[in-house]
Amino acid sequence: VIVAAEFSVEDCWSLGLNKANLLCSSCDQLSKFNLGIMKDHCQQCCQRDENTHTVKRYAQARLEVCTCKFGVYPQIQGMFPLFRKPGKFPNLQIKYVRGLDPIIKLMDKDGNVKD
């Protein structure tokens, strides 16, 4: 018989763990600090990390932007010298649309927008 259970907020707090803010990836780091003995309790108190390590790949992308918005979005303006080298980003298109806030459309190989 296998029983799976989680500690309550109070149980975790009594162990010195804050259940609301504890990510499970932190539990894996305990052994680096000679605290591996706490790992089992940590894993019963932690919140599963979002899939931040999942990498999605798209065949092409299109940045739609209005140059009049560069003042509002300096990070986009700072990237434009790179975009002027078409060989550097062959799968990136830039479409200038008057008045549009910057948006990037990520597409599959057939040009269908996915994200």
Side-chain angles (χ1 to χ4, degrees), residues 68-109:
C68 66
K69 300 281 185 159
F70 281 179
V72 181
Y73 300 99
Q75 63 274 31
I76 298 291
Q77 183 179 11
M79 293 170 53
F80 265 79
L82 296 174
F83 297 153
R84 291 193 177 133
K85 299 176 184 175
K88 185 139 176 115
F89 303 100
N91 296 328
L92 174 66
Q93 302 170 359
I94 300 173
K95 182 177 178 182
Y96 298 98
V97 181
R98 185 168 169 79
L100 184 68
D101 286 334
I103 186 169
I104 190 159
K105 295 184 177 179
L106 304 170
M107 300 173 284
D108 63 13
K109 65 181 178 173

Side-chain angles (χ1 to χ4, degrees), residues 10-43:
E10 294 81 17
D11 294 334
C12 293
W13 192 254
S14 69
L15 292 168
L17 303 170
N18 185 345
K19 188 171 182 145
N21 296 329
L22 182 61
L23 295 176
C24 291
S25 59
S26 300
C27 299
D28 297 332
Q29 304 298 318
L30 289 172
S31 58
K32 291 181 182 179
F33 303 99
N34 295 325
L35 297 171
I37 196 167
M38 294 180 61
K39 188 172 182 177
D40 289 337
H41 290 145
C42 184
Q43 289 177 332

